[in-house]
Amino acid sequence: MVLILTSLIVSAIIAILAILIILLFVVPLKTDFVLDTNNSILQGTALWLHPFIMARFTLEKGNPILNIHVFGKHLLKRTIKKKFGKGYSIDYLRAIAPEDIKVTTHYGFTNPFDTGITCGAVNMVSQLINISTFENQPDFLAENDYIYLNASAKIYIGPAIMKILKIIRLNRRDLQWIQT
């Protein structure tokens, strides 16, 4: 009887893990990034199966903080420490391959020349990235300097993890080749 009960529990755990792995490939991670200099806000949010997992990155007193919530209950709060890597960051960003990117910008500087240069740079960068919705609203007659940026995207976690693991494997192989 105990053996049957344990086998049922193990089977249920395996089934739940299999369903979660399948959901990693089917359900996207919804991300949102907000930068608001008027209100001193720098925040990134990631939602997956919304009431299930939420992660929020904020800047508190100059320190990057990561908060993780599971089913609405606070699970983890950590200060993120910067690690100096080998310069593969752009490869990791390409591997994530965000979809349905939406960007809204509002900005203004007391010097209209600075606003014009920023407007040109923002429009140039927007042409280099596959953005589905882009709203750019420069304020050439601003009385004070401000920037508001809101960007959101969807990321499929399963394929992103597979691509990142491939990059790590290739980079490790390159390092082994160099060391021999």
Side-chain angles (χ1 to χ4, degrees):
M1 184 68 177
V2 174
L3 185 62
I4 295 172
L5 186 59
T6 56
S7 67
L8 283 174
I9 291 172
V10 169
S11 299
I13 291 172
I14 291 172
I16 290 171
L17 288 175
I19 290 170
L20 285 175
I21 290 172
I22 291 170
L23 287 175
L24 285 175
F25 287 88
V26 176
V27 178
L29 175 77
K30 295 175 184 169
T31 60
D32 188 46
F33 177 78
V34 176
L35 169 66
D36 186 358
T37 58
N38 277 342
N39 299 316
S40 299
I41 296 173
L42 176 65
Q43 174 178 300
T45 306
L47 304 169
W48 188 63
L49 298 172
H50 173 47
F52 185 55
I53 295 178
M54 181 184 81
R56 179 167 284 149
F57 164 82
T58 56
L59 201 60
E60 296 176 7
K61 298 177 185 173
N63 296 322
I65 306 292
L66 176 67
N67 288 302
I68 297 177
H69 299 264
V70 176
F71 289 116
K73 302 292 182 191
H74 191 260
L75 180 69
L76 177 72
K77 182 175 183 177
R78 289 262 165 98
T79 301
I80 301 172
K81 297 177 181 146
K82 184 171 179 166
K83 295 181 181 178
F84 295 100
K86 303 289 185 204
Y88 300 115
S89 300
I90 195 75
D91 294 336
Y92 294 131
L93 286 174
R94 284 188 190 124
I96 291 173
E99 296 178 2
D100 194 25
I101 301 171
K102 298 176 184 171
V103 178
T104 302
T105 60
H106 304 277
Y107 52 88
F109 303 103
T110 52
N111 184 352
F113 178 76
D114 294 339
T115 306
I117 294 295
T118 305
C119 181
V122 167
N123 284 319
M124 183 185 72
V125 169
S126 72
Q127 298 301 313
L128 299 174
I129 303 170
N130 188 14
I131 298 176
S132 59
T133 304
F134 180 63
E135 295 178 26
N136 185 19
Q137 298 178 0
D139 181 5
F140 289 95
L141 301 174
E143 294 180 9
N144 57 353
D145 296 344
Y146 70 93
I147 299 171
Y148 175 80
L149 168 72
N150 186 349
S152 64
K154 294 179 182 176
I155 300 168
Y156 287 93
I157 304 169
I161 290 172
M162 301 296 284
K163 291 175 186 175
I164 288 171
L165 290 175
K166 183 178 178 182
I167 290 169
I168 291 171
R169 190 185 85 231
L170 291 174
N171 291 340
R172 187 176 299 143
R173 185 183 307 157
D174 290 344
L175 289 175
Q176 288 174 349
W177 178 258
I178 292 169
Q179 292 174 354
T180 57

